[in-house]
Amino acid sequence: MKIAADGEAYRILKAEQKRQVEGLELIPSENYVSKAVLEAVGSVLTNKYSEGYPGHRYYGGNFYIDQAENLAIGRAKKLFKTDYHVNVQPYSGSPANIAVMLAVLELGDKVMGMSLTQGGHLTHGHKVNFSGRYYDFCQYGVDRRTEIIDYSEVEKTALKEKPKMIICGATAYPRIINFKAFSKIAEKVKAILMADISHIAGLIAAGVHPTPFGLADIITTTTHKTLRGPRGAVIFCKDRYAEAIDRAVFPGIQGGPHDHVNLAKAVAFGEALKPEFKEYGKQTVKNSQALAAKLIAGGLRLVSGGTDNHLILVDLGSLGVTGKQAEAWLDEAGITVNKNTIPYDERKPMDPSGIRLGTPAVTSRGMKEKEMKIIGEFILRVLASKGQVTELKIIKKEVTSFAKKFPVPGITK
Ligand SMILES: *Cc1c(COP(=O)(O)O)cnc(C)c1O
């Protein structure tokens, strides 16, 4: 039986497909996967149980599953040009980070991470998250004036707090992360250095952002953001952490791996190993900078004054518009972004002063700098409309006919 036979489910699927084709997807953590990745995710490998690791499983029938997992591992090493140990089983980015903490820390240990309100991730020590509740986190952020990570402040805090582990990596930070500086600080205070490259993994693979390999002891990444693979994650580590990491993932926090997703990871890594992916990474950053330039020319203030990567943080404070309003108005016009706190935000996270946007998904549709200028103009018009319904309807029509000209991987391509 096909999904079309289930009217209720099919209607939802079709409507979401249409939304993805007709809208402009600017959430920087999102992307469009290829048909090949979708096929692997939607494959019969979902039927299998395979607790354990290749060659050491608790279930029979894993001959081909072992091949799939080994393919993903081999390609992951090739992609990041590394001989680090690789575990491809984490279900997603958050479980990967929890597994690292379980592997190398004791409950209550001191850890350092970037605060959520300044660009870090929930799992980097936010007080409502598992990380912040069960470990003793101290947090660093960005400099108030430059809005860039202040490495001398990070060093000062590290010397004072003596963390057992330092986490670098971010979820809303538009600038290059200096992994060398972090590794020097970690060495000085004898801390384990963990780099969470979830957002920028695709840019690192494409060679357009510096790599943490060789510098960080442990590296985690999601596979579904700039890397353009299925929802999931991977952990890389130096050999001395390999056994502890593997045991933390299974049986520490997970049971059977999602073998269909792991095959899809292998497929995505294979795609990222092709020369076209280098071009994709370069274009994603060029597009982000072109969009940033357009927004600045339109009078908007960007956090840190611009971007080095795939994402842009806009401070709407001076416009008298909140992040929540801007997100809702843009949604009405078919443009998807997310509201976001800006560093030292005086507003609450549910209605902050900023919006976060990025170019990974629109770049996957083949858009270039010229199109970014057009998208920038749409955004400026939406903000200027102050939410006026008839104006938003007019913009939505234009957005739809513009977006439909660009094929969507996995849907119309
Ligand atoms: C997205 C992200 C994660 C979490 O990934 P999920 O798959 O949503 O759990 C972890 N760390 C960083 C830095 C991220 O950007």
Side-chain angles (χ1 to χ4, degrees):
M1 208 166 90
K2 297 217 158 194
I3 189 169
D6 179 341
E8 283 178 294
Y10 191 60
R11 187 190 56 74
I12 296 169
L13 173 63
K14 283 290 154 190
E16 173 60 14
Q17 269 184 357
K18 185 165 179 284
R19 190 193 68 83
Q20 292 192 14
V21 171
E22 294 185 352
L24 290 172
E25 193 51 75
L26 293 178
I27 292 178
S29 48
E30 294 186 12
N31 214 328
Y32 296 108
V33 299
S34 68
K35 274 235 162 75
V37 169
L38 282 181
E39 276 171 4
V41 173
S43 74
V44 295
L45 272 73
T46 193
N47 296 335
K48 195 67 198 95
Y49 243 105
S50 57
E51 286 180 2
Y53 289 101
H56 309 274
R57 304 283 188 185
Y58 288 85
Y59 294 83
N62 277 306
F63 182 72
Y64 300 111
I65 297 301
D66 279 3
Q67 291 182 4
E69 189 163 334
N70 283 327
L71 187 65
I73 291 169
R75 286 182 177 176
K77 290 187 184 191
K78 226 171 155 184
L79 184 59
F80 291 97
K81 302 184 180 64
T82 182
D83 55 3
Y84 277 34
H85 173 74
V86 187
N87 187 312
V88 297
Q89 293 192 6
Y91 299 147
S92 214
S94 303
N97 289 353
I98 293 171
V100 171
M101 293 175 211
L102 182 67
V104 303
L105 303 174
E106 298 298 327
L107 289 184
D109 272 350
K110 176 80 78 177
V111 196
M112 229 173 116
M114 192 171 190
S115 87
L116 179 81
T117 52
Q118 305 229 339
H121 190 257
L122 270 174
T123 55
H124 298 181
H126 193 268
K127 60 183 188 302
V128 301
N129 183 262
F130 174 85
S131 54
R133 288 178 62 181
Y134 293 101
Y135 300 96
D136 182 14
F137 265 85
C138 50
Q139 305 247 272
Y140 62 87
V142 298
D143 177 74
R144 196 179 267 274
R145 192 180 55 82
T146 61
E147 298 174 309
I148 286 172
I149 295 172
D150 182 342
Y151 294 92
S152 64
E153 249 335 285
V154 174
E155 180 172 332
K156 248 191 242 163
T157 312
L159 283 166
K160 186 170 133 240
E161 302 276 354
K162 303 231 172 333
K164 187 163 170 190
M165 182 164 84
I166 298 174
I167 304 176
C168 58
T171 195
Y173 185 65
R175 294 297 181 178
I176 297 275
I177 293 170
N178 188 342
F179 296 118
K180 261 202 191 109
F182 272 110
S183 94
K184 274 195 192 134
I185 295 166
E187 223 166 83
K188 211 169 194 175
V189 301
K190 296 195 168 52
I192 298 165
L193 181 63
M194 167 181 158
D196 176 352
I197 59 170
S198 290
H199 257 267
I200 51 175
L203 306 182
I204 291 169
V208 294
H209 186 292
T211 180
F213 284 90
L215 296 167
D217 299 293
I218 301 169
I219 298 166
T220 62
T221 183
T222 53
T223 46
H224 49 271
K225 297 179 183 173
T226 50
L227 206 45
R228 212 161 60 182
R231 287 204 107 75
V234 177
I235 303 174
F236 299 87
C237 64
K238 291 186 175 164
D239 282 340
R240 64 177 172 281
Y241 301 105
E243 209 188 315
I245 291 285
D246 282 353
R247 263 192 289 118
V249 173
F250 172 82
I253 61 162
Q254 295 190 174
H258 294 178
D259 297 308
H260 56 311
V261 176
N262 294 344
L263 181 67
K265 288 174 190 171
V267 172
F269 299 156
E271 291 174 354
L273 276 161
K274 293 190 179 144
E276 299 92 280
F277 195 81
K278 280 206 169 60
E279 275 314 303
Y280 167 69
K282 264 190 220 153
Q283 192 63 48
T284 299
V285 174
K286 277 194 212 162
N287 281 353
S288 172
Q289 290 173 341
L291 181 57
K294 176 75 194 171
L295 297 177
I296 290 168
L300 298 187
R301 190 186 89 79
L302 306 192
V303 168
S304 83
T307 179
D308 300 325
N309 60 23
H310 62 300
L311 79 82
I312 296 165
L313 259 183
V314 184
D315 173 6
L316 299 165
S318 63
L319 291 186
V321 175
T322 73
K324 190 174 161 184
Q325 283 174 321
E327 180 191 295
W329 298 344
L330 287 161
D331 238 340
E332 289 293 318
I335 300 169
T336 314
V337 307
N338 67 275
K339 57 180 173 288
N340 215 96
T341 53
I342 58 161
Y344 304 98
D345 207 327
E346 277 160 16
R347 302 185 59 88
K348 299 226 163 67
M350 273 317 286
D351 192 9
S353 301
I355 50 171
R356 186 183 71 148
L357 35 121
T359 52
V362 288
T363 307
S364 288
R365 292 181 82 159
M367 294 185 193
K368 300 229 159 73
E369 290 94 323
K370 188 173 124 231
E371 284 75 32
M372 296 308 117
K373 289 206 183 98
I374 297 169
I375 294 176
E377 187 63 34
F378 284 138
I379 294 170
L380 293 167
R381 281 169 60 197
V382 168
L383 295 176
S385 79
K386 302 278 178 207
Q388 214 232 336
V389 182
T390 44
E391 173 68 1
L392 291 180
K393 276 199 180 126
I394 294 168
I395 302 171
K396 182 171 188 167
K397 261 201 193 130
E398 291 177 41
V399 165
T400 304
S401 73
F402 169 77
K404 277 162 90 175
K405 287 189 218 145
F406 297 87
V408 180
I411 305 177
T412 56
K413 184 178 152 189

